[in-house]
Amino acid sequence: MEIIQKPEEMQAWARAKARLGATICLVPTMGFLHEGHLSLMRRAAGLCDLVAASLFVNPTQFGPNEDLDRYPRDFERDMALLRQEKVAAVFAPTPDLMYPQGFQTEVRVKDLATHLCGKSRPVHFAGVTTVVSKLFNIVQPDAAVFGEKDFQQLAIIRRLVADMNIPVRIVGQPIVREADGLAMSSRNANLDPANRAAALSLSTGLQLARAKAREGVRSTAALHALVEAHIHSFAGTAIDYASFVDCETLEPVAEADERTVLALAVHIDGKVRLIDNGYVLPQDAN
Ligand code: PAF
């Protein structure tokens, strides 16, 4: 497995592989890998000849009071995991290589980035779409895999690629959960045992909304009241949003149908902000 720091060396690697006729699937990550990331690597391996992972904690997608400094990191462990997954190359640049002096370009998707996380994290998605655009230009992949846990991010990246005619196939990979239902996230490492219990309010809130919607409760105001009360019954939780939205436009909906996703962001003990999401009805229901 090659570990490459410099963008121009990564581009040279990608061009050399393309000349040999190999296709490349990129899995962009911020490291501190867990089973969810590994499922992305395995999906990528089934899509192209070679898997390239990127590992970069992108500073531009963190706001001034967010957890950039506390974002968990373990480079050596990540490299060992990626080697086991037979990843061909890892692009692991430093911030100054990605954003050298004089850097001043921003790539921004407009409306989709204003919903959900965009309200409380106003700079986040411009940071994501800028770095993902750079990663696509540097790694030159044929396909890229993103986790569905970051549901809004995936919708925004699909829009970016369509709007800008970027020749990369975007593939979403389902959420991987712990045995008790907690969606896997690098940020789970920052949960102490009490907070870990409160973190379950997201997945159980989602299950509650699903159960009620399937019993026939379709008013999202009614479903929201149930989910809100459920999450707040766990000590230390503060809801950033619990929104019933259309899966593509991310606009709020009044009546749940098969396109409706419940998107959740919850602060746990003021320290860790977790997200989760899921369709509230089976995809083929009316
Ligand atoms: O989902 C992530 O880990 C990040 O937002 C990404 C896509 C790697 C961009 O920094």
Side-chain angles (χ1 to χ4, degrees):
M1 183 176 84
E2 293 197 44
I3 302 173
I4 301 172
Q5 264 203 321
K6 293 193 176 144
E8 58 276 19
E9 286 175 14
M10 190 69 223
Q11 281 169 327
W13 181 91
R15 275 197 298 269
K17 298 300 174 196
R19 269 198 301 275
L20 295 173
T23 56
I24 300 170
C25 189
L26 170 67
V27 182
T29 83
M30 298 207 299
F32 211 73
L33 304 177
H34 51 67
E35 200 52 43
H37 293 110
L38 303 185
S39 84
L40 305 183
M41 305 298 159
R42 290 166 201 155
R43 182 73 183 273
L47 293 171
C48 290
D49 301 319
L50 298 172
V51 177
S54 64
L55 196 162
F56 179 58
V57 183
N58 173 36
T60 66
Q61 68 188 74
F62 290 79
N65 300 317
E66 294 183 5
D67 58 351
L68 175 61
D69 295 340
R70 282 183 295 120
Y71 200 84
R73 296 159 209 244
D74 191 338
F75 188 78
E76 290 312 322
R77 182 176 157 277
D78 287 346
M79 292 307 109
L81 287 168
L82 293 176
R83 265 188 204 101
Q84 279 170 23
E85 294 301 324
K86 310 235 178 313
V87 167
V90 181
F91 177 54
T94 54
D96 56 313
L97 286 169
M98 287 297 266
Y99 303 111
Q101 220 178 2
F103 185 92
Q104 51 181 297
T105 301
E106 187 174 87
V107 178
R108 200 161 64 86
V109 171
K110 289 190 278 190
D111 294 351
L112 288 178
T114 61
H115 300 289
L116 305 172
C117 291
K119 290 201 167 76
S120 57
R121 306 189 71 192
V123 302
H124 176 65
F125 288 116
V128 170
T129 40
T130 302
V131 81
V132 167
S133 302
K134 283 176 68 73
L135 291 170
F136 286 168
N137 285 329
I138 293 167
V139 182
Q140 301 170 28
D142 300 275
V145 184
F146 292 85
E148 289 176 356
K149 185 169 76 65
D150 294 293
F151 149 77
Q152 184 176 14
Q153 169 172 281
L154 180 56
I156 288 172
I157 288 166
R158 288 192 196 285
R159 188 75 263 159
L160 166 75
V161 162
D163 288 355
M164 300 306 291
N165 308 93
I166 299 175
V168 177
R169 175 179 168 205
I170 302 301
V171 176
Q173 177 71 357
I175 296 175
V176 178
R177 296 180 181 278
E178 304 282 357
D180 60 6
L182 179 68
M184 289 202 183
S185 164
S186 304
R187 289 187 169 93
N188 292 351
N190 291 336
L191 294 167
D192 65 24
N195 295 342
R196 175 73 180 66
L200 280 183
S201 61
L202 286 91
S203 54
T204 53
L206 203 52
Q207 282 162 17
L208 175 67
R210 279 201 181 118
K212 292 293 172 190
R214 284 162 205 207
E215 277 170 24
V217 182
R218 299 295 166 89
S219 149
T220 58
L223 291 169
H224 182 271
L226 290 166
V227 170
E228 184 180 48
H230 174 79
I231 292 175
H232 284 156
S233 72
F234 290 73
T237 55
I239 296 175
D240 180 352
Y241 59 78
S243 302
F244 292 84
V245 298
D246 178 80
C247 60
E248 262 176 49
T249 66
L250 311 185
E251 297 281 355
V253 294
E255 290 288 309
D257 64 20
E258 74 280 4
R259 291 177 56 88
T260 306
V261 168
L262 170 57
L264 296 170
V266 178
H267 291 277
I268 309 292
D269 203 20
K271 293 187 194 115
V272 186
R273 181 179 176 280
L274 298 178
I275 57 173
D276 201 346
N277 72 81
Y279 284 92
V280 295
L281 287 165
Q283 298 302 279
D284 52 358
N286 289 313

